[in-house]
Amino acid sequence: EDEMSPLATMMRNRNLRLDKYGNLLAKLNKIDTSFKEDAKGSDTPDGSVYLTNDEIAALAEIGYPNAGASPTKADTQMYLQAVKSAIDGLNNRSQSDITRLQSLVEKRDQTFTKAAELLKDVSDSRGKLIAAYGG
């Protein structure tokens, strides 16, 4: 029981990060599509789509602390791959945490079942003792 609460909190925090990275991925895709078809790697987007401070902070979390509001085409491609990789990593850890949580819940349920069986046995033994004494 003591392991379940911290694990659930960690999973909740990871889901918040996944949501943040998912939004960042959507914005980077929007920036990527704003480039002209013949854009070179050093070109910047047309100016209608920018990264917000929160999105820049999210990029810093995954290893790009110097990202700007208007990334070049090459940087956008690099950020897209990094965000996808970060999302994949978080999803993999989430899957293993879910498996761990399921195992903990099963163990807890087994413990409750054993405790209930023990209480029933104690109650049955008491009843038999009382009956044996003629009560």
Side-chain angles (χ1 to χ4, degrees):
E1 195 68 33
D2 292 339
E3 290 181 53
M4 289 173 62
S5 181
L7 185 59
T9 301
M10 187 173 60
M11 290 173 69
R12 227 176 284 113
N13 291 339
R14 186 177 300 123
N15 286 341
L16 290 173
R17 287 176 59 203
L18 278 167
D19 188 45
K20 178 173 44 173
Y21 293 166
N23 291 335
L24 175 58
L25 184 63
K27 178 63 86 64
L28 287 169
N29 278 320
K30 190 171 185 179
I31 289 173
D32 191 45
T33 59
S34 74
F35 287 101
K36 295 177 183 169
E37 282 189 36
D38 60 346
K40 296 177 179 65
S42 60
D43 290 349
T44 55
D46 66 8
S48 64
V49 185
Y50 296 100
L51 292 174
T52 65
N53 287 335
D54 289 341
E55 292 162 342
I56 292 170
L59 280 171
E61 286 177 21
I62 59 174
Y64 296 96
N66 299 321
S70 184
T72 64
K73 181 161 179 68
D75 285 343
T76 301
Q77 293 294 317
M78 181 174 56
Y79 297 156
L80 277 167
Q81 293 307 313
V83 171
K84 287 176 187 177
S85 179
I87 288 172
D88 288 345
L90 289 172
N91 280 330
N92 289 340
R93 280 182 261 157
S94 288
Q95 288 176 345
S96 63
D97 284 347
I98 287 170
T99 302
R100 172 99 174 109
L101 189 59
Q102 286 172 334
S103 172
L104 290 171
V105 168
E106 286 174 15
K107 287 179 183 176
R108 183 191 65 182
D109 290 348
Q110 288 172 354
T111 302
F112 284 144
T113 301
K114 287 179 182 177
E117 290 171 0
L118 179 64
L119 288 174
K120 183 181 178 314
D121 289 346
V122 168
S123 177
D124 290 348
S125 295
R126 266 187 164 168
K128 289 177 184 176
L129 264 168
I130 292 171
Y133 282 121

